[in-house]
Amino acid sequence: MSRHDAIARAARHYDEGGFLKVLQDAVARPTESQTSGQLPKLRAYLADFLVPLIAPLGFASRILDNPDGTHGPFLVAERIEGADLPTVLIYGHGDTVRGYPEQWREGLAPWSITIEGERWYGRGTADNKGQHILNLGALAAVMEARDGRLGFNTKLLIEMGEEAGSPGLRDLCRAEARALKADVLIASDGPRVSAERPTIFLGSRGGYTFEMLLDLREGAHHSGNWGGLLRNPGTVLANAIASLVDGRGTILLDALRPPAIPDNVRAALADIAVGTDPTAPAIDADWGEPGLTAAERVFAWNTLEVLAFKTGDPDGPLNAVPPTAKATLQLRFVVGTDWEAILPALRAHLDAHGYPMVEVRAARTEVFRATRLPVEDPWVDWALASIAESTGKRPALLPNLGGSLPNDAFSEILGLPTLWVPHSYPACLQHGPDEHLLGPPSREALMLMAGLYWDLAETGPAVLARREALKGA
């Protein structure tokens, strides 16, 4: 058997309907981690679906309660072939955001797959059930081609709380560090740069969410009788926000801005085009940090977004000065940003600019750290070469994803080099109604992942030796 045979078997898994059948089973299981009372369903996805799915592959599985005692559990599984072989950690998440069935287009539903042309609609098809199921299908294809062997060791970590901010993941990685010990993480989440171009990213931007609030008085007061006499919290808060980010999206507070873009990151992004899919929103060319390319703005820079703003009753406004205002903002940040200094810097800035009455506090969400494997790491060239050989395409290399992932659990706590190979695309509508996965890129994903897993056995030991040599140099 050969590499070509493993890739052909992976393609047949798609062509003969095997992948679709497994995905239909997964999507039919509601796993909303952002909704209370879902723990039985979250556990059932692992116990009743994933454990039986991977048992024929020789995995020994454990389902572990969340260390925080509240959120979804974890699946930790392993398949060991030899102490002298490379070991890969595969990660994914089986939970989804809320289904919102009433928001889906007529004829579509979140908990069943509807196929229209190349689009496979259903909650979790893209984020993340479809992605980790693709990787397991590719793993099975390689095992078949090698007569029941992989040629490397495999460890699997599936969490059921990523959409709730991955609570407990870092504590679990600390507690299970020995069980999760590996040589490299190869995982799949997020989108390619475009549907047509295979992509690798090496980490993710961080995410820090904070709230700004004013509570000035009891009750609303008639705007004719009291307007011009009472401080308007909406006006004050809007101007406080405008002191942080200007009208074209440029960050004004130095503490929220990143360091200069490193030359190697700029070089990696030189051939990256974003927003090229037909259904992607039109990019605003005059928005964001001046002097940067579109790719640099989303993958190499910090952005401050106003996620929500409320004062009064927007749906039923009164002729009155409202008493309160509240906004939620989020900083997406790259490596080199001191996220722990954000809150003190905001407080000092607001005080200095005449807004001591504005309260600022961290939101009750997990802080995602910014991570980035160096583009010079030997695993990077290995993965790029493997994907190019399997697809005949030049893969895109992103130093980090524009979004946020719990990659620091793997890169910092477990100390792993991290390779992310996404199988979705930017316009998949993840988190919203009408989420979907594309068929042809999914077929290609099965094939390129089979190639990666085949190459891990063949050339992975040489990569490990190269990394050790570089450490000693």
Side-chain angles (χ1 to χ4, degrees):
M1 296 297 183
S2 65
R3 186 181 195 274
H4 174 78
D5 182 68
I7 291 174
R9 288 173 182 266
R12 286 199 297 274
H13 182 55
Y14 178 92
D15 296 339
E16 296 173 358
F19 168 64
L20 175 59
K21 182 178 180 181
V22 176
L23 185 60
Q24 285 173 324
D25 190 359
V27 170
R29 302 169 184 267
T31 51
E32 301 163 294
S33 62
Q34 298 171 340
T35 303
S36 61
Q38 299 299 302
L39 283 180
K41 293 181 180 179
L42 298 175
R43 177 175 288 273
Y45 181 83
L46 301 179
D48 300 340
F49 171 70
L50 270 183
V51 170
L53 182 67
I54 64 176
L57 302 180
F59 279 93
S61 300
R62 294 181 293 144
I63 296 176
L64 305 176
D65 290 334
N66 197 301
D68 74 0
T70 302
H71 291 89
F74 298 85
L75 172 67
V76 175
E78 65 177 14
R79 186 185 191 282
I80 304 300
E81 292 190 2
D84 59 337
L85 298 177
T87 301
V88 62
L89 175 62
I90 300 172
Y91 162 83
H93 66 90
D95 65 312
T96 69
V97 297
R98 295 178 178 90
Y100 295 117
E102 71 282 357
Q103 298 180 14
W104 288 58
R105 177 166 56 79
E106 185 177 357
L108 304 180
W111 310 121
S112 61
I113 293 180
T114 303
I115 299 178
E116 294 182 355
E118 295 182 351
R119 297 187 177 192
W120 296 12
Y121 291 94
R123 177 63 82 219
T125 52
D127 189 16
N128 174 262
K129 293 177 179 179
Q131 301 214 38
H132 63 256
I133 290 170
L134 280 167
N135 291 349
L136 293 174
L139 207 66
V142 172
M143 282 189 64
E144 292 172 4
R146 288 192 187 275
D147 296 324
R149 295 186 65 256
L150 287 170
F152 55 88
N153 303 317
T154 310
K155 298 183 178 182
L156 179 65
L157 172 60
I158 303 293
E159 69 163 314
M160 299 302 294
E162 195 271 352
E163 300 295 3
S166 293
L169 175 62
R170 292 163 185 84
D171 287 341
L172 179 110
C173 285
R174 294 185 185 98
E176 296 288 330
R178 178 171 295 182
L180 297 174
K181 180 178 174 58
D183 296 306
V184 62
L185 172 89
I186 301 178
S188 300
D189 203 353
R192 297 175 168 197
V193 295
S194 69
E196 296 300 320
R197 190 173 186 190
T199 300
I200 298 173
F201 61 86
L202 309 178
S204 65
R205 285 200 295 184
Y208 185 91
T209 304
F210 61 93
E211 298 171 341
M212 300 174 68
L213 310 96
L214 275 83
D215 188 351
L216 297 183
R217 62 186 64 86
E218 289 289 332
H221 295 270
H222 192 285
S223 59
N225 297 334
W226 295 98
L229 300 176
L230 299 181
R231 181 180 282 115
N232 188 304
T235 304
V236 174
L237 188 55
N239 281 273
I241 293 171
S243 74
L244 302 175
V245 57
D246 71 12
R248 58 155 291 155
T250 303
I251 296 174
L252 303 177
L253 177 58
D254 284 345
L256 303 183
R257 293 170 63 85
I261 300 175
D263 290 342
N264 61 352
V265 171
R266 195 179 294 273
L269 295 174
D271 74 335
I272 301 299
V274 296
T276 60
D277 290 305
T279 55
I283 292 174
D284 294 313
D286 59 348
W287 184 258
E289 182 69 19
L292 302 183
T293 67
E296 289 168 348
R297 277 185 273 157
V298 73
F299 298 122
W301 203 253
N302 291 3
T303 57
L304 182 62
E305 304 294 345
V306 180
L307 302 183
F309 190 120
K310 183 177 181 180
T311 188
D313 182 358
D315 295 322
L318 303 174
N319 291 321
V321 179
T324 64
K326 177 181 178 181
T328 301
L329 290 83
Q330 183 181 66
L331 183 74
R332 297 281 187 175
F333 59 92
V334 297
V335 169
T337 304
D338 184 2
W339 67 268
E340 293 179 301
I342 290 173
L343 205 60
L346 287 169
R347 181 71 272 158
H349 171 85
L350 293 172
D351 290 346
H353 285 75
Y355 303 109
M357 73 292 292
V358 176
E359 179 187 356
V360 60
R361 66 191 184 195
R364 295 179 181 178
T365 57
E366 187 80 18
V367 176
F368 285 101
R369 279 69 164 175
T371 58
R372 181 191 291 152
L373 179 70
V375 297
E376 301 87 2
D377 191 283
W379 282 115
V380 178
D381 283 342
W382 170 83
L384 290 171
S386 174
I387 293 175
E389 182 179 352
S390 298
T391 64
K393 300 176 181 179
R394 182 184 180 191
L397 174 62
L398 304 180
N400 51 259
L401 182 68
S404 299
L405 290 166
N407 193 56
D408 60 289
F410 314 116
S411 63
E412 296 180 15
I413 296 173
L414 297 180
L416 298 179
T418 55
L419 300 174
W420 292 82
V421 186
H423 305 323
S424 183
Y425 80 119
C428 68
L429 302 179
Q430 67 184 85
H431 291 191
D434 304 350
E435 176 185 348
H436 59 275
L437 190 69
L438 292 181
S442 297
R443 185 179 190 273
E444 184 177 66
L446 278 164
M447 297 167 68
L448 71 85
M449 292 305 297
L452 268 178
Y453 293 143
W454 184 274
D455 293 341
L456 183 59
E458 297 294 315
T459 56
V463 177
L464 292 175
R466 173 65 175 156
R467 293 186 89 244
E468 287 299 315
L470 289 174
K471 287 180 183 178

